[in-house]
Each structure stands twice: as C-alpha cells, then as structure tokens.
Amino acid sequence: MLAPSRPERLFADDLIAGEQHDLGSYLVTGPEIVAFARQWDPLPMHTDDQASTATHFGAIIASGVHTLAVFQRLAVTAVYSQWQIIAGRTLRDVQFCAPVHADTRLHGRLTVSAITDTHPRWSRVRTCGALWSTVSNEILTVEIDSYVRRRHP
C-alpha cells in the first residue's frame, strides 16, 4: 500500500494578499517562562516570582523574546512549513501590547499583506501577525518579510 503523498508546498504565486491564517493556540506555563528567561533574558521580572510581585505585573511574565518565539513556532507549524520559504528578510514593528503571565493561552493569526516580485526566482512576502489571549485582546503584533520561491517560468 502506498503512503499518502505530501501535498506540494505553496509558491509565492499561490499566495493571495489579504489571506488570513489561523495559527492555533499555545499555553505558556510558569516553568517554561522561567526556563526560557534563565537562558535568554534573565531579568527578575521573568525569573523571580517574589521580585515580580513587587513590580506592577504582580507575578512573573514571559520575556518579549519568548512571546515572539511562541508566535514564530505557531506560524511555522501552521503556515510557513507549507510555503516554499527561502529565508526571512525583515522583522519590523514588533509591538508587545500586554504582558504574558503563567498559564496564559495565546492564540495566533497571520495575514498575507503584500507579495512583491523582487526576482525571477523569488518574491518578498509581507505578513502581519498577531497573538492574543482571552484576558487581553492583543498580546503581540508584528510585520515580517520573507523570501518565498516563485514557480519557474
């Protein structure tokens, strides 16, 4: 019996500006916040619950870099892994709109905002991404440019 074939990944030519993608969700836990921060952003607001309580956040919060990494993981799993991605080009206008506390479920969305044919073999694809939770409308917004292969003429 033959295994089901993997669908072909999408080229820039297949993408449509305005197209929205649900990225699913991810639960950020307290131990994860601390472990990530100890390695990459060891500020007390991310690693020390007592120190965080003294701040206006009231408890540890995820690093912005951690929050951005959650977005990237959701985007890769749901969308980018289905595209003929060559590489990222630009990360712009990253906005951390609200803190992420332990046991917060983040939901993601990615919108294709523009496709520019910059080369015969690839296009620059601009996407707008967002994370939100049930507690706070927006947690993160970001614009990303990536190079995506075009079909060969």
Short mmCIF file of all heavy atoms in Angstrom, two decimals, residues 59-87:
data_model
loop_
_atom_site.label_atom_id
_atom_site.label_comp_id
_atom_site.label_asym_id
_atom_site.label_seq_id
_atom_site.Cartn_x
_atom_site.Cartn_y
_atom_site.Cartn_z
N ALA A 59 3.30 39.20 39.08
CA ALA A 59 3.86 37.85 39.02
C ALA A 59 4.80 37.81 37.83
O ALA A 59 4.88 38.76 37.05
CB ALA A 59 2.74 36.82 38.85
N ILE A 60 5.53 36.70 37.69
CA ILE A 60 6.45 36.61 36.57
C ILE A 60 5.69 36.76 35.25
O ILE A 60 4.52 36.38 35.15
CB ILE A 60 7.27 35.30 36.56
CG1 ILE A 60 6.37 34.07 36.44
CG2 ILE A 60 8.20 35.22 37.74
CD1 ILE A 60 7.11 32.80 36.13
N ILE A 61 6.40 37.34 34.29
CA ILE A 61 5.84 37.48 32.94
C ILE A 61 6.85 36.94 31.94
O ILE A 61 8.05 36.93 32.20
CB ILE A 61 5.49 38.95 32.60
CG1 ILE A 61 6.72 39.84 32.67
CG2 ILE A 61 4.36 39.45 33.49
CD1 ILE A 61 6.51 41.23 32.08
N ALA A 62 6.36 36.50 30.80
CA ALA A 62 7.23 36.00 29.75
C ALA A 62 8.03 37.13 29.14
O ALA A 62 7.54 38.26 29.00
CB ALA A 62 6.40 35.30 28.67
N SER A 63 9.25 36.83 28.78
CA SER A 63 10.08 37.78 28.03
C SER A 63 9.41 38.08 26.69
O SER A 63 8.72 37.22 26.12
CB SER A 63 11.44 37.12 27.80
OG SER A 63 12.15 37.76 26.77
N GLY A 64 9.61 39.27 26.17
CA GLY A 64 9.11 39.59 24.84
C GLY A 64 9.70 38.67 23.79
O GLY A 64 9.02 38.26 22.84
N VAL A 65 10.98 38.31 23.96
CA VAL A 65 11.62 37.39 23.01
C VAL A 65 10.93 36.03 23.06
O VAL A 65 10.72 35.39 22.03
CB VAL A 65 13.13 37.26 23.32
CG1 VAL A 65 13.79 36.24 22.43
CG2 VAL A 65 13.81 38.61 23.20
N HIS A 66 10.54 35.59 24.23
CA HIS A 66 9.80 34.33 24.40
C HIS A 66 8.45 34.42 23.68
O HIS A 66 8.05 33.50 22.96
CB HIS A 66 9.62 34.07 25.89
CG HIS A 66 8.98 32.77 26.22
ND1 HIS A 66 8.81 32.36 27.51
CD2 HIS A 66 8.45 31.77 25.46
CE1 HIS A 66 8.21 31.18 27.53
NE2 HIS A 66 7.99 30.81 26.29
N THR A 67 7.76 35.53 23.88
CA THR A 67 6.46 35.72 23.23
C THR A 67 6.60 35.69 21.72
O THR A 67 5.80 35.06 21.01
CB THR A 67 5.83 37.05 23.70
OG1 THR A 67 5.79 37.06 25.14
CG2 THR A 67 4.43 37.23 23.15
N LEU A 68 7.62 36.35 21.21
CA LEU A 68 7.88 36.34 19.77
C LEU A 68 8.21 34.93 19.29
O LEU A 68 7.78 34.51 18.20
CB LEU A 68 9.02 37.30 19.44
CG LEU A 68 9.32 37.54 17.96
CD1 LEU A 68 8.10 38.08 17.22
CD2 LEU A 68 10.49 38.51 17.83
N ALA A 69 8.95 34.16 20.09
CA ALA A 69 9.27 32.77 19.74
C ALA A 69 8.01 31.91 19.68
O ALA A 69 7.89 31.04 18.81
CB ALA A 69 10.27 32.19 20.74
N VAL A 70 7.07 32.14 20.58
CA VAL A 70 5.79 31.41 20.52
C VAL A 70 5.07 31.72 19.21
O VAL A 70 4.59 30.82 18.52
CB VAL A 70 4.89 31.75 21.74
CG1 VAL A 70 3.47 31.21 21.54
CG2 VAL A 70 5.50 31.20 23.03
N PHE A 71 5.03 33.01 18.85
CA PHE A 71 4.41 33.38 17.58
C PHE A 71 5.09 32.66 16.42
O PHE A 71 4.43 32.08 15.55
CB PHE A 71 4.46 34.89 17.35
CG PHE A 71 3.99 35.25 15.97
CD1 PHE A 71 2.63 35.33 15.70
CD2 PHE A 71 4.88 35.43 14.93
CE1 PHE A 71 2.18 35.60 14.41
CE2 PHE A 71 4.45 35.70 13.64
CZ PHE A 71 3.09 35.79 13.39
N GLN A 72 6.43 32.69 16.39
CA GLN A 72 7.16 32.06 15.29
C GLN A 72 6.86 30.58 15.19
O GLN A 72 6.65 30.03 14.10
CB GLN A 72 8.66 32.30 15.45
CG GLN A 72 9.52 31.67 14.37
CD GLN A 72 9.34 32.29 13.00
OE1 GLN A 72 8.67 33.30 12.83
NE2 GLN A 72 9.95 31.68 12.00
N ARG A 73 6.82 29.90 16.33
CA ARG A 73 6.54 28.46 16.33
C ARG A 73 5.15 28.18 15.76
O ARG A 73 4.96 27.28 14.93
CB ARG A 73 6.67 27.88 17.74
CG ARG A 73 6.32 26.41 17.85
CD ARG A 73 7.19 25.59 16.89
NE ARG A 73 6.75 24.23 16.80
CZ ARG A 73 7.47 23.19 17.20
NH1 ARG A 73 8.67 23.36 17.70
NH2 ARG A 73 6.99 21.98 17.09
N LEU A 74 4.16 28.95 16.19
CA LEU A 74 2.80 28.76 15.67
C LEU A 74 2.75 29.05 14.17
O LEU A 74 2.12 28.32 13.41
CB LEU A 74 1.82 29.67 16.41
CG LEU A 74 1.51 29.31 17.87
CD1 LEU A 74 0.65 30.39 18.51
CD2 LEU A 74 0.86 27.95 17.99
N ALA A 75 3.44 30.12 13.73
CA ALA A 75 3.44 30.49 12.31
C ALA A 75 4.12 29.43 11.46
O ALA A 75 3.64 29.08 10.37
CB ALA A 75 4.10 31.84 12.11
N VAL A 76 5.23 28.89 11.93
CA VAL A 76 5.94 27.85 11.18
C VAL A 76 5.09 26.59 11.09
O VAL A 76 4.94 26.00 10.01
CB VAL A 76 7.31 27.54 11.81
CG1 VAL A 76 7.91 26.26 11.23
CG2 VAL A 76 8.26 28.71 11.60
N THR A 77 4.52 26.18 12.20
CA THR A 77 3.73 24.94 12.22
C THR A 77 2.50 25.04 11.32
O THR A 77 2.21 24.12 10.55
CB THR A 77 3.31 24.61 13.67
OG1 THR A 77 4.49 24.45 14.46
CG2 THR A 77 2.49 23.34 13.72
N ALA A 78 1.80 26.16 11.39
CA ALA A 78 0.53 26.28 10.67
C ALA A 78 0.67 26.78 9.24
O ALA A 78 -0.15 26.42 8.39
CB ALA A 78 -0.41 27.22 11.44
N VAL A 79 1.68 27.60 8.95
CA VAL A 79 1.73 28.27 7.65
C VAL A 79 3.07 28.12 6.94
O VAL A 79 3.15 27.57 5.84
CB VAL A 79 1.38 29.78 7.79
CG1 VAL A 79 1.47 30.48 6.45
CG2 VAL A 79 -0.01 29.95 8.38
N TYR A 80 4.12 28.64 7.53
CA TYR A 80 5.40 28.72 6.83
C TYR A 80 5.92 27.35 6.37
O TYR A 80 6.57 27.25 5.34
CB TYR A 80 6.47 29.41 7.68
CG TYR A 80 6.22 30.87 7.95
CD1 TYR A 80 6.63 31.45 9.14
CD2 TYR A 80 5.59 31.69 7.02
CE1 TYR A 80 6.43 32.79 9.39
CE2 TYR A 80 5.37 33.03 7.27
CZ TYR A 80 5.79 33.58 8.46
OH TYR A 80 5.59 34.91 8.72
N SER A 81 5.64 26.30 7.12
CA SER A 81 6.09 24.97 6.72
C SER A 81 5.36 24.49 5.45
O SER A 81 5.80 23.54 4.81
CB SER A 81 5.88 23.96 7.85
OG SER A 81 4.50 23.83 8.13
N GLN A 82 4.29 25.16 5.09
CA GLN A 82 3.52 24.82 3.88
C GLN A 82 3.95 25.66 2.67
O GLN A 82 3.43 25.48 1.58
CB GLN A 82 2.02 25.03 4.13
CG GLN A 82 1.49 24.33 5.36
CD GLN A 82 1.75 22.84 5.35
OE1 GLN A 82 1.49 22.18 4.35
NE2 GLN A 82 2.29 22.32 6.43
N TRP A 83 4.86 26.60 2.89
CA TRP A 83 5.31 27.50 1.83
C TRP A 83 6.72 27.14 1.39
O TRP A 83 7.49 26.55 2.14
CB TRP A 83 5.32 28.94 2.31
CG TRP A 83 3.99 29.56 2.60
CD1 TRP A 83 2.75 28.99 2.49
CD2 TRP A 83 3.76 30.90 3.06
NE1 TRP A 83 1.78 29.87 2.85
CE2 TRP A 83 2.38 31.06 3.21
CE3 TRP A 83 4.61 31.95 3.36
CZ2 TRP A 83 1.82 32.26 3.64
CZ3 TRP A 83 4.05 33.14 3.79
CH2 TRP A 83 2.66 33.28 3.93
N GLN A 84 7.08 27.57 0.21
CA GLN A 84 8.44 27.41 -0.31
C GLN A 84 9.33 28.55 0.21
O GLN A 84 9.86 29.35 -0.54
CB GLN A 84 8.41 27.43 -1.85
CG GLN A 84 7.71 26.26 -2.48
CD GLN A 84 8.64 25.06 -2.57
OE1 GLN A 84 9.84 25.15 -2.41
NE2 GLN A 84 8.05 23.90 -2.83
N ILE A 85 9.49 28.61 1.52
CA ILE A 85 10.25 29.68 2.17
C ILE A 85 11.74 29.52 1.85
O ILE A 85 12.27 28.42 1.94
CB ILE A 85 10.05 29.64 3.69
CG1 ILE A 85 8.63 30.03 4.07
CG2 ILE A 85 11.08 30.49 4.42
CD1 ILE A 85 8.39 31.49 4.27
N ILE A 86 12.38 30.61 1.49
CA ILE A 86 13.83 30.62 1.32
C ILE A 86 14.47 31.12 2.61
O ILE A 86 15.36 30.48 3.15
CB ILE A 86 14.24 31.53 0.14
CG1 ILE A 86 13.69 30.94 -1.17
CG2 ILE A 86 15.76 31.68 0.08
CD1 ILE A 86 13.81 31.87 -2.35
N ALA A 87 14.01 32.28 3.09
CA ALA A 87 14.57 32.86 4.31
C ALA A 87 13.72 34.04 4.75
O ALA A 87 12.99 34.62 3.95
CB ALA A 87 16.00 33.34 4.07
#
